[in-house]
Amino acid sequence: MAQSLDITPEDLKVFLEEAEEQLQLLEGDIVKLEKSEDAELLQEIFRAAHTLKGSSATLGHQPMAQLTHAMENVLDKLRKKKLAASMDVVNLLFECLDLLRAMKDDIADGRETVIDLGPVLTKLASDFGVPAAQTAGGGASGAPPEIAPGNPTEPAPAGRDAIEVAREFASGLNDTERAQLVSGMAQGVQAVHCRVAFIPDCLMTSVRAYQVLLALGEMGEVIKSFPSPEDIEAERVGHEIAALLLTLEEKAHVEGTLKAIGDVESAVVSVAQAAPGDVQPTREPTPAPESGRESQASKKGATTVRVDVNLLDNLMNLVGELVIDRTHLAQIMGRTEQGRGLAEASDDLVRTSAHIGRVTTQLQEEIMKARMLPIENLFKKFPRMVRDLALKARKEIDFVIEGQETELDRSVIEEIGDPLMHLLRNSVDHGLESPEERLAAGKPRTGTVRLAAEHSESHIIITVSDDGRGIDLDKVKASAVRKGLISEAAAKRLSDKEALDLIFVSGLSTAQAVTEVSGRGVGMDVVRKNIERLNGSIEVVTNLGLGTETRIKLPLTLAIVRALLVSLGSSVFAIPLTSVSETIRLTAQAIKTIRRKEAIVVRDSVLPLVRLAKVFGMPEAADRSSQYVVVVSSNGQRLGLVVDGLVGEQEVVIKSLGGFIGNITGLSGATILGEGDVALIIDVGSLVKSETNLRMGLVS
């Protein structure tokens, strides 16, 4: 049965996006909580849970609000030092997070939530002293949360003028509130009146109002607010909120903090000048949003927007077409400059071409920036996974993440998640030894797994390393022989590098037992395929007894790449420059034959040759005296591709072949050249892999 929620599709989309952000934040912070009960960290966790509770209550999803409310009670005990962040507490918080994520997925799929919250709420009550009345009202799923409906004698009609409310503060404080105010001001704490207005199309004013109250609470003591916290929970919120605050913070700081909250149109902070017994905040004119008086924090918030991924993809396609046009114009300009007619148009064409080139380049750079995301969005999913795997394997692991601010195209981030998950699982399950084994080997009891990212020219380098047992190459070769992947004679001829390459062969594993985590010998095969599909490369370095490092090299984007154009007869092919090391003029005398394979010697190293015409079933050139070798490399292996000629370098827009002719070994896509001709893009990784397997004698 579909979930019945009183919400528009746009509101639902905003809710799901923000809920995912809060869940990811909670997951990452709760992992840190186990190592450090830092007050700021606890406050951040509490704030995220509170925001999620508010937005789910606004949505009308009572089970989510109920569960987050119960989590708040636990977090409040942690904040007040009434509870320690033990492994049991952290495990229970993760259990709550898993349930919240499942409920969020139900909402996204339009399903009615049938998750029973009773067991977890009962555990919260029995194990951690959270009163049952605060958690479940009996513990049954679907029961209403403990969210007060507000004071019916003081209704808070939406849109009510906050200035009117400000006047009420002076006369409307009850005895307790007035005593708080008098006491605070007597101790030198200033009283300020805050008035915050939200933008007219703010989708979830209740959530934003919550954030305002949370921000004020962090800066001081909120004496009274309008709407009240109860009214906010009951969604009785207009487009403004006013509050009376006791704080030691400067007025400008309070104002800037409020303006930095999302969907805030204006924030006015007035310092109360009157005597405590006659509190009357001074009035300041409300600055118009277009007056240009917004603070830097406000400006910063206005420049941050959510952009639909489909819109970004459409813009990327347009940029691709512009790049093709720019190349076309450059070719026309070249012909004109050579005096082949239209000489009088040459100057105009030069200027126009230069202008289009500049504009296109700027547009391309701006769009690329819009697509770039910090890799933190991916990395923050792994601490929880590593923690859970370590607990299951009974290992002690220090998981270190570095370079998470490194930016990468969002399409690459979406694709790299699974390979990194496989590598980390391997490090935890196979790489690191048990605490007892490490102590016996003279190592620290706790092992280290490191995940790092950094920029290197036009690439990103992601490294997964551990200080575990390393890879025993003799065991790898023996496993390959035992599984019939390679002959014993061929195994003896393998260099260490070639033997290490066997770990990427499907079906090979040196694990003594298959676990639910790994050991079936399919992970590394999938990793390499996914990396090569991204035009990347992967390299493994291992030291027996000391550990293993896996280095992944990826392009910053998948949409546009620089390529070397080469010719085979009348056809043109594109080879990504990221794979090209150098080009060499080929002479008949330089070609040697080794084991019935063509090769040349380049700086004392043997370079195997592959004739591209033969690979693609094309006629080979009759005159071999003017051919070239393009030296390419992938995953640490080099290969010489023999072509008829070199055309030049050019940026190319990658188009998929999948929907037209399917996957073909040696080809990764196609591009359109300046004159409208189609050039096929060479898949260097698959060609190198095919040649390497033949040379190693691997049985396909």
Side-chain angles (χ1 to χ4, degrees):
M1 186 172 63
Q3 180 80 25
S4 176
L5 299 171
D6 184 18
I7 191 170
T8 66
E10 291 75 18
D11 290 350
L12 182 61
K13 187 176 179 182
V14 172
F15 168 78
L16 291 173
E17 289 175 352
E18 292 200 347
E20 180 59 32
E21 286 178 6
Q22 300 304 329
L23 287 172
Q24 288 189 13
L25 180 65
L26 283 167
E27 194 164 85
D29 282 353
I30 291 174
V31 171
K32 297 176 189 172
L33 183 64
E34 201 169 25
K35 298 179 179 176
S36 169
E37 294 186 44
D38 179 75
E40 289 188 9
L41 177 64
L42 267 170
Q43 187 61 27
E44 186 173 85
I45 295 172
F46 191 89
R47 194 184 305 124
H50 198 74
T51 301
L52 188 58
K53 183 182 82 171
S55 58
S56 55
T58 301
L59 186 73
H61 198 287
Q62 301 299 349
M64 281 190 81
Q66 183 183 18
L67 186 55
T68 46
H69 186 68
M71 287 178 68
E72 276 186 347
N73 291 330
V74 176
L75 294 169
D76 192 47
K77 281 179 173 266
L78 291 171
R79 285 197 308 183
K80 294 175 179 174
K81 307 292 184 186
K82 295 180 179 177
L83 195 66
S86 64
M87 184 183 295
D88 288 341
V89 171
V90 171
N91 286 341
L92 186 58
L93 289 175
F94 278 135
E95 189 177 342
C96 294
L97 278 190
D98 292 340
L99 292 173
L100 288 171
R101 193 176 292 283
M103 286 190 275
K104 193 212 78 173
D105 291 343
D106 283 343
I107 295 171
D109 295 338
R111 295 191 299 264
E112 184 78 25
T113 293
V114 293
I115 296 171
D116 183 8
L117 300 182
V120 72
L121 294 176
T122 301
K123 194 184 296 184
L124 282 166
S126 61
D127 295 358
F128 304 110
V130 177
Q134 288 183 310
T135 60
S141 173
E146 187 68 18
I147 298 176
N151 186 347
T153 64
E154 293 183 6
R160 190 175 177 181
D161 186 0
I163 294 300
E164 180 187 344
V165 176
R167 294 194 182 99
E168 292 179 1
F169 276 129
S171 59
L173 297 180
N174 59 35
D175 291 344
T176 302
E177 292 162 348
R178 187 174 293 276
Q180 280 180 286
L181 188 61
V182 171
S183 173
M185 295 185 74
Q187 295 174 33
V189 182
Q190 66 176 348
V192 298
H193 171 253
C194 308
R195 176 189 173 194
V196 178
F198 304 116
I199 58 176
D201 56 350
C202 178
L203 295 177
M204 293 193 291
T205 50
S206 297
V207 176
R208 299 309 183 198
Y210 263 124
Q211 290 178 304
V212 168
L213 282 187
L214 284 171
L216 292 174
E218 290 177 2
M219 292 185 285
E221 183 181 3
V222 179
I223 301 296
K224 189 164 187 174
S225 72
F226 185 89
S228 67
E230 292 77 15
D231 287 331
I232 293 172
E233 288 198 5
E235 300 179 54
R236 291 196 288 267
V237 180
H239 276 79
E240 290 187 340
I241 177 172
L244 189 62
L245 175 73
L246 281 172
T247 181
L248 293 172
E249 300 287 352
E250 295 290 333
K251 171 188 166 187
H253 174 75
V254 176
E255 202 166 77
T257 302
L258 294 174
K259 286 181 176 179
I261 296 173
D263 292 342
V264 167
E265 185 178 68
S266 65
V268 180
V269 176
S270 309
V271 178
Q273 302 292 340
D278 185 25
V279 178
Q280 179 64 50
T282 56
R283 289 277 304 272
E284 287 187 2
T286 303
E290 63 275 14
S291 65
R293 293 175 55 195
E294 293 98 338
S295 67
Q296 285 301 109
S298 176
K299 290 177 181 175
K300 183 179 178 182
T303 57
T304 304
V305 296
R306 293 176 186 273
V307 181
D308 192 303
V309 175
N310 291 328
L311 172 61
L312 285 177
D313 290 338
N314 290 339
L315 286 171
M316 204 65 210
N317 286 333
L318 290 174
V319 170
E321 299 302 322
L322 278 174
V323 170
I324 294 171
D325 288 340
R326 181 182 62 187
T327 305
H328 194 186
L329 271 177
Q331 291 174 343
I332 294 174
M333 185 181 69
R335 288 201 301 271
T336 305
E337 286 179 330
Q338 291 170 13
R340 287 187 282 160
L342 301 177
E344 68 281 2
S346 177
D347 290 346
D348 287 343
L349 268 178
V350 170
R351 283 195 295 272
T352 304
S353 179
H355 182 258
I356 290 178
R358 285 197 301 274
V359 172
T360 307
T361 300
Q362 290 172 1
L363 180 58
Q364 181 180 344
E365 290 173 351
E366 290 302 314
I367 293 296
M368 293 306 299
K369 286 179 187 174
R371 291 186 60 87
M372 300 298 272
L373 290 175
I375 203 167
E376 177 189 14
N377 291 296
L378 172 65
F379 280 9
K380 63 186 177 186
K381 298 177 180 176
F382 296 129
R384 163 86 185 276
M385 183 193 80
V386 170
R387 174 192 180 274
D388 291 348
L389 290 174
L391 285 176
K392 196 170 292 183
R394 298 184 178 181
K395 295 180 179 178
E396 297 178 12
I397 298 176
D398 183 15
F399 184 44
V400 180
I401 293 181
E402 297 172 344
Q404 51 193 332
E405 71 284 354
T406 308
E407 292 190 331
L408 187 63
D409 190 297
R410 63 183 307 144
S411 60
V412 181
I413 289 179
E414 289 168 359
E415 296 290 334
I416 197 65
D418 284 347
L420 290 180
M421 184 182 69
H422 277 295
L423 294 175
L424 289 170
R425 288 161 71 105
N426 275 350
S427 285
V428 174
D429 203 38
H430 294 318
L432 289 185
E433 311 93 333
S434 66
E436 295 75 20
E437 289 174 318
R438 292 182 64 85
L439 289 174
K443 294 182 176 181
R445 180 181 179 87
T446 301
T448 301
V449 174
R450 192 178 304 275
L451 174 63
E454 62 176 340
H455 276 140
S456 176
E457 297 178 346
S458 60
H459 293 83
I460 183 174
I461 307 295
I462 301 177
T463 306
V464 177
S465 60
D466 64 67
D467 63 348
R469 56 172 62 93
I471 300 174
D472 189 330
L473 297 182
D474 290 335
K475 286 185 178 178
V476 171
K477 287 190 278 190
S479 177
V481 172
R482 190 167 57 252
K483 294 178 183 296
L485 299 172
I486 191 172
S487 69
E488 192 165 351
K492 289 180 180 176
R493 291 197 301 268
L494 294 179
S495 65
D496 286 351
K497 188 174 181 57
E498 291 172 332
L500 190 57
D501 210 48
L502 286 171
I503 65 174
F504 293 105
V505 177
S506 178
L508 187 139
S509 174
T510 58
Q512 295 179 349
V514 175
T515 69
E516 61 181 284
V517 176
S518 57
R520 297 186 184 279
V522 294
M524 294 303 285
D525 179 43
V526 173
V527 167
R528 172 176 275 187
K529 283 181 180 175
N530 286 349
I531 299 297
E532 289 177 344
R533 192 155 49 84
L534 299 172
N535 291 324
S537 62
I538 181 169
E539 186 177 4
V540 178
V541 178
T542 187
N543 289 297
L544 192 61
L546 298 177
T548 301
E549 178 179 292
T550 304
R551 196 165 183 263
I552 297 173
K553 184 178 181 182
L554 293 166
L556 291 178
T557 180
L558 304 179
I560 300 174
V561 299
R562 287 200 67 80
L564 173 66
L565 301 183
V566 301
S567 64
L568 287 175
S570 59
S571 300
V572 176
F573 290 79
I575 305 176
L577 271 182
T578 54
S579 303
V580 177
S581 302
E582 59 182 311
T583 58
I584 301 171
R585 183 71 176 266
L586 183 63
T587 63
Q589 297 77 13
I591 299 177
K592 312 293 182 188
T593 302
I594 303 174
R595 296 178 188 169
R596 291 181 292 179
K597 293 281 187 180
E598 287 186 322
I600 59 175
V601 177
V602 180
R603 291 184 285 279
D604 299 328
S605 295
V606 176
L607 179 71
L609 297 181
V610 168
R611 294 186 178 273
L612 279 186
K614 189 175 181 180
V615 171
F616 298 125
M618 300 173 65
E620 295 194 50
D623 180 12
R624 294 189 170 187
S625 62
S626 60
Q627 290 186 311
Y628 289 83
V629 173
V630 180
V631 182
V632 296
S633 62
S634 174
N635 300 317
Q637 303 289 341
R638 299 169 77 230
L639 191 64
L641 303 179
V642 180
V643 300
D644 293 345
L646 305 178
V647 178
E649 292 182 17
Q650 180 178 308
E651 280 187 329
V652 299
V653 182
I654 300 174
K655 305 287 186 182
S656 171
L657 287 175
F660 298 98
I661 59 176
N663 294 323
I664 298 177
T665 301
L667 296 178
S668 62
T671 188
I672 301 173
L673 301 178
E675 294 183 338
D677 296 331
V678 174
L680 297 172
I681 301 173
I682 301 295
D683 181 0
V684 172
S686 68
L687 290 178
V688 172
K689 180 182 177 184
S690 177
E691 177 62 24
T692 302
N693 287 349
L694 282 174
R695 190 171 68 252
M696 292 167 59
L698 277 173
V699 179
S700 60

